[in-house]
Amino acid sequence: MVQEYQSPVRVYKHPFELIMAAYVRRFPKCPLIPVFVDSEIVSENQSKDGSTLVTERRCVIDIDAPRLLKRIAGVDYLYFIQKNTLNRRDRTLRIEVHNETFSSRVVVRECCNYTVHPENEDWTCFEQTASMDIKSFFGFESTAEKIAMKQYASSIKKGKEIIEYYLRELEAEGVTYIPRWTPPVVSGTTRAIPVKGARNGLDSKDTELVVGSPDDKLDADYIRRYLGDLTPLQESCLIRLRQWLQENNKGKIPKDQHVLRFLRARDFNLDKAREFMWQSLTWRKQHQVDFLLDTWEQPQLLQDYYAGGWHHHDKDGRPLYVLRLGQMDTKGLVRALGEEKLLRQVLSLNEEGLRRCEENTRVFGRPISCWTCLVDLEGLNMRHLWRPGVKALLRIIEVVEANYPETLGRLLILRAPRVFPVLWTLVSPLIDENTRKKFLVYAGNDYQGPGGLVDYIDKEIIPDFLGGDCMCDIPEGGMVPKSLYRTAEELESEENRLLTDSIYKSASIFKGAPYEMLVEITEASSVITWDFDVSKGDVIFNIYHSKRAPQPPKKDTLGAHAITSLGAVNTQLIDRNWVLGKDYSMVEKALTCREGESVQGSHITRWPGFYILQWRFHSTPACSASSLPRVDDVLASLQVSSHKCKIMYYTEVLASHDFRGSMTSLESSHSGFSQLSAATTSSSQSHASSTISSRCVSHKCHYRGASAGSIMQKGDAPQTAALT
């Protein structure tokens, strides 16, 4: 497995020339890096005008590895080739490194760049990438990989200190300014003479890294100040996941704090965090969660009887949420509102919590990514264990755990009664183990003594109902009047609505049983628009036209445009006796859509009649008899179980005057995040004046208030991830 590393951008508040003077002092040996034993210059070439200097060194590294492993490998030291290209005219230094030892077994590549800061020519930026692929190593591949990654992480930390160390050394010698390179006026080489002075003088504050903007590349000090202290490998995971999002979603990406939460929830396993986040972002898109704070109107019943609210912050600066669960009539709330509204209430609280974390980060000047929840259980009894209420609670916990990881910093449970262990037994299996470790439970009045609330919350903001002096503006709860209860039929009709009632619908495609939708067009030049994601398997998308009306057994009208859905059973709209070209015709070229792709497009209709949107199962072509199946094909066939594919789709019909050649009129363009795909393919435009965009990455994510996406034009080049 290839291990990759991407550093954040480090910014030094010193000119490039001074940084270069500090850099060259680390050769031939560097006492700050004990494993760097020695180096020798193999070749050195300079351009005629002296603007470019290319230096190649052979470096000797002493890896801290077990003696037995060194004896098996037959080496005491490792040799690397380092090529430095210094361009004094452009003020850049490019460092390229590869391994000479075990080059047939292990491939190591590293690239570092020193450049001038784009916004301040007196500052210098540093960025670093690396990759390692251990193909074979005497049966100790895993051990060698762990040793190499540990050693590399350690050297990265040292690398941050080396430049600053030699800058201080230069200052002690009186070197505080070095003129920039200029073309020589006469033949010969003009040497820059160090000048003593105060300009750009080295100050202890100046050696600090500069706060950068998160909008382009992640700056090292930005990470430390706004995201917290991360190890070099953790920084690399954050940057690589962020780059992956940028490559697959050309609009705004989720905020760095939110990306980091998913990495922490999966112990910085990049693949697991990426899959975890992909599922959550798909869920947010499907249910329009990005707009919840703007669209959710809390019912009056919740304002009167939901005994919870935000209350200042704890001693760590985390937002504090207080919930008087024991005073809430959970049964009455479920009976009067249903699970749907309670779930939306909890989701709005989580969205508000994310907003408050960002605000507190700015106020306190340190990273705050989670909140503290104080739950008062006084009054909890068997009524709270009402089965539908517990069912609603379990469902809410499941949704929150799947979409708001690492947002709970601490949970203080106060005045837990004897019935609490029963409730805990029911809900604890659904709570992540790391989250459970954050729970602190106090029985009776134990919270009032040492180790209680005063350890986590300032005394002056302890709520009055817990013996404090601070008035807490939270509803007292109470019993919901039975006159407000809704009937079982009303509640049943809304159950699981959040999972199904959205502008996006889900459908399954089986081998031999395509999924088809009927769109009736009464006016020529109407525009059929679509937006769908392939969440499982590969599908082929077609559009057909017929003057004859198909006869499905039952129609389920989705909207005013007579778009019909076939429900759980894929009924065939295209009669098996119909003849292509006679009874119906294909109006769009078939489009093959791979798993994970997101597709947007539109078709301007030429004729009135019945249009059929069809998704059918796509199977991988069989290999020829003269060739063996590829490993990738075998793995792909195993992943698509039971010959089943899944899509999530949205479609709409627009009048011709409402369509302006873009997707801005589509409701789907406000959906936030288009499902992540690995690359971008070109779109095609048919003779029927329709446009299909495959893997459309113009979709905008609304974590930062993006605008609507537009259709990709024909000829857009494929985008691929590359190590830079």
Side-chain angles (χ1 to χ4, degrees):
M1 179 179 178
V2 179
Q3 295 289 343
E4 296 180 344
Y5 171 77
Q6 170 68 62
S7 76
V9 178
R10 293 204 297 272
V11 183
Y12 299 97
K13 296 171 65 175
H14 302 287
F16 175 80
E17 290 72 22
L18 201 59
I19 295 296
M20 290 300 98
Y23 172 77
V24 297
R25 293 200 169 203
R26 62 181 294 178
F27 299 103
K29 298 181 180 180
C30 182
L32 296 179
I33 307 180
V35 297
F36 191 79
V37 178
D38 199 3
S39 66
E40 61 175 346
I41 296 178
V42 177
S43 65
E44 191 170 42
N45 298 296
Q46 184 168 263
S47 61
K48 291 183 179 180
D49 61 358
S51 63
T52 304
L53 176 65
V54 180
T55 305
E56 190 169 298
R57 292 183 177 89
R58 191 168 188 253
C59 304
V60 185
I61 306 296
D62 182 13
I63 297 296
D64 184 15
R67 177 178 293 272
L68 178 61
L69 184 60
K70 287 186 174 182
R71 293 186 63 181
I72 293 175
V75 297
D76 289 325
Y77 300 108
L78 301 180
Y79 293 88
F80 288 80
I81 301 299
Q82 182 193 72
K83 179 183 177 181
N84 291 0
T85 304
L86 174 63
N87 189 319
R88 298 186 179 98
R89 185 191 305 274
D90 297 336
R91 304 176 75 196
T92 63
L93 173 65
R94 181 176 178 83
I95 307 169
E96 298 171 283
V97 180
H98 68 272
N99 62 307
E100 185 180 70
T101 309
F102 301 124
S103 58
S104 62
R105 297 177 178 269
V106 181
V107 178
V108 176
R109 295 289 185 270
E110 183 182 42
C111 181
C112 306
N113 288 285
Y114 285 92
T115 58
V116 177
H117 193 284
E119 297 179 2
N120 190 326
E121 61 182 14
D122 288 330
W123 293 351
T124 306
C125 299
F126 172 80
E127 197 170 1
Q128 179 179 13
T129 62
S131 66
M132 178 181 66
D133 183 12
I134 300 181
K135 300 177 180 179
S136 65
F137 200 76
F138 312 102
F140 293 91
E141 291 80 13
S142 178
T143 302
E145 182 179 284
K146 291 178 181 178
I147 292 174
M149 294 302 293
K150 181 180 178 181
Q151 196 77 55
Y152 191 70
S154 176
S155 66
I156 292 172
K157 289 183 177 180
K158 288 289 185 182
K160 295 179 180 180
E161 304 170 2
I162 291 173
I163 294 296
E164 294 172 359
Y165 172 83
Y166 287 118
L167 284 172
R168 290 190 294 269
E169 190 175 271
L170 284 169
E171 181 189 24
E173 297 173 5
V175 179
T176 58
Y177 171 68
I178 297 178
R180 298 181 188 178
W181 178 88
T182 56
V185 178
V186 294
S187 60
T189 302
T190 303
R191 295 185 60 186
I193 303 175
V195 179
K196 299 181 181 180
R199 180 181 174 184
N200 292 312
L202 296 181
D203 185 282
S204 59
K205 295 182 180 179
D206 287 343
T207 59
E208 294 180 359
L209 301 179
V210 181
V211 178
S213 169
D215 295 332
D216 184 16
K217 293 183 178 181
L218 289 184
D219 178 270
D221 194 52
Y222 162 80
I223 292 177
R224 178 179 58 81
R225 182 171 178 179
Y226 293 100
L227 304 180
D229 293 326
L230 303 177
T231 67
L233 297 183
Q234 289 174 343
E235 290 178 343
S236 175
C237 286
L238 172 62
I239 294 169
R240 289 164 60 196
L241 180 54
R242 191 175 183 267
Q243 288 176 341
W244 183 78
L245 290 171
Q246 288 175 324
E247 291 164 4
N248 292 279
N249 178 42
K250 294 300 181 182
K252 296 289 185 178
I253 64 172
K255 293 183 179 179
D256 301 321
Q257 294 88 341
H258 199 57
V259 176
L260 188 58
R261 290 184 182 102
F262 285 86
L263 283 166
R264 283 177 171 148
R266 292 297 179 264
D267 295 325
F268 287 88
N269 183 305
L270 187 60
D271 292 333
K272 291 181 179 179
R274 182 164 51 196
E275 175 66 19
F276 188 18
M277 192 167 200
W278 176 82
Q279 293 173 353
S280 178
L281 293 176
T282 302
W283 172 84
R284 295 182 71 92
K285 171 184 176 179
Q286 183 173 3
H287 303 298
Q288 304 288 279
V289 179
D290 294 320
F291 306 99
L292 191 59
L293 287 179
D294 298 327
T295 59
W296 168 244
E297 294 183 5
Q298 190 181 45
Q300 187 62 44
L301 192 143
L302 281 175
Q303 297 179 34
D304 296 337
Y305 296 100
Y306 190 86
W310 295 99
H311 180 73
H312 300 283
H313 54 80
D314 67 5
K315 288 187 174 182
D316 296 322
R318 297 167 175 164
L320 176 63
Y321 189 81
V322 177
L323 180 65
R324 303 186 68 180
L325 184 59
Q327 303 300 313
M328 281 173 50
D329 179 11
T330 54
K331 178 178 180 179
L333 290 173
V334 173
R335 288 292 304 274
L337 294 171
E339 294 182 27
E340 166 75 11
K341 287 188 174 61
L342 284 178
L343 179 54
R344 289 191 180 275
Q345 166 73 2
V346 174
L347 294 182
S348 69
L349 294 176
N350 280 272
E351 292 295 309
E352 175 65 16
L354 297 179
R355 188 194 66 79
R356 287 175 177 263
C357 285
E358 294 178 22
E359 182 179 337
N360 285 18
T361 296
R362 291 190 293 269
V363 171
F364 293 101
R366 60 177 182 272
I368 296 172
S369 61
C370 53
W371 52 83
T372 293
C373 186
L374 188 155
V375 181
D376 180 21
L377 296 184
E378 185 183 46
L380 189 76
N381 53 44
M382 293 303 293
R383 180 181 177 85
H384 292 86
L385 298 181
W386 178 58
R387 190 174 182 279
V390 173
K391 176 186 173 185
L393 177 61
L394 295 178
R395 178 167 173 257
I396 289 172
I397 291 175
E398 186 176 8
V399 172
V400 171
E401 280 287 303
N403 298 285
Y404 299 93
E406 297 297 315
T407 54
L408 181 65
R410 184 179 296 114
L411 179 64
L412 303 171
I413 300 176
L414 311 182
R415 302 195 278 197
R418 296 174 63 181
V419 74
F420 173 73
V422 180
L423 181 62
W424 177 246
T425 301
L426 294 172
V427 302
S428 60
L430 290 178
I431 301 174
D432 180 75
E433 181 180 355
N434 291 332
T435 303
R436 290 200 299 267
K437 294 177 181 178
K438 302 171 184 177
F439 284 37
L440 296 173
V441 183
Y442 298 90
N445 294 323
D446 292 347
Y447 69 91
Q448 295 179 344
L453 278 185
V454 291
D455 283 13
Y456 307 103
I457 303 174
D458 290 330
K459 186 176 180 180
E460 55 269 19
I461 65 171
I462 294 178
D464 52 345
F465 61 85
L466 294 176
D469 299 325
C470 186
M471 296 297 295
C472 192
D473 187 20
I474 293 176
E476 295 183 359
M479 301 296 293
V480 177
K482 291 187 177 181
S483 60
L484 299 178
Y485 284 12
R486 305 178 71 180
T487 65
E489 290 75 15
E490 290 175 326
L491 294 176
E492 181 68 23
S493 66
E494 290 190 354
E495 189 172 359
N496 294 333
R497 207 167 160 192
L498 190 63
L499 298 179
T500 58
D501 188 17
S502 71
I503 63 172
Y504 287 87
K505 306 296 178 183
S506 297
S508 297
I509 299 102
F510 303 89
K511 192 171 185 179
Y515 184 85
E516 296 173 344
M517 287 187 59
L518 181 64
V519 182
E520 184 177 358
I521 298 296
T522 58
E523 179 186 359
S525 298
S526 296
V527 182
I528 304 173
T529 60
W530 58 83
D531 177 4
F532 65 89
D533 299 332
V534 185
S535 57
K536 180 180 180 181
D538 300 338
V539 300
I540 297 177
F541 178 63
N542 278 308
I543 304 179
Y544 300 96
H545 172 264
S546 175
K547 295 181 180 179
R548 300 170 53 183
Q551 299 297 325
K554 184 178 180 181
K555 290 187 178 182
D556 176 21
T557 302
L558 294 178
H561 296 291
I563 301 175
T564 59
S565 171
L566 303 179
V569 179
N570 292 353
T571 305
Q572 300 295 295
L573 292 174
I574 300 177
D575 195 293
R576 294 183 181 275
N577 296 321
W578 284 10
V579 178
L580 182 63
K582 179 180 179 182
D583 300 294
Y584 69 109
S585 60
M586 182 185 297
V587 297
E588 286 285 355
K589 182 180 179 182
L591 181 66
T592 301
C593 310
R594 303 296 180 182
E595 180 175 327
E597 289 184 358
S598 183
V599 180
Q600 288 182 342
S602 60
H603 174 81
I604 303 176
T605 61
R606 281 188 170 186
W607 317 278
F610 301 91
Y611 288 79
I612 300 170
L613 278 60
Q614 182 194 77
W615 293 266
R616 56 188 171 89
F617 184 93
H618 175 64
S619 55
T620 305
C623 298
S624 62
S626 61
S627 63
L628 294 175
R630 296 185 299 113
V631 174
D632 292 344
D633 295 334
V634 175
L635 293 176
S637 64
L638 292 175
Q639 292 174 352
V640 184
S641 59
S642 304
H643 303 290
K644 179 180 179 181
C645 300
K646 290 184 178 180
I647 60 170
M648 184 176 74
Y649 68 92
Y650 168 79
T651 185
E652 184 181 6
V653 176
L654 302 174
S656 58
H657 58 80
D658 292 331
F659 185 78
R660 298 182 178 87
S662 74
M663 297 295 286
T664 55
S665 58
L666 263 182
E667 187 174 1
S668 64
S669 69
H670 298 282
S671 60
F673 187 79
S674 185
Q675 282 204 13
L676 304 177
S677 56
T680 302
T681 61
S682 61
S683 59
S684 62
Q685 189 167 19
S686 72
H687 62 84
S689 302
S690 65
T691 305
I692 301 177
S693 68
S694 176
R695 296 183 183 182
C696 180
V697 294
S698 299
H699 229 69
K700 305 298 182 181
C701 186
H702 291 271
Y703 282 89
R704 293 182 181 175
S707 60
S710 59
I711 294 179
M712 288 175 54
Q713 299 300 317
K714 185 175 180 180
D716 286 353
Q719 304 291 324
T720 57
L723 181 65
T724 57

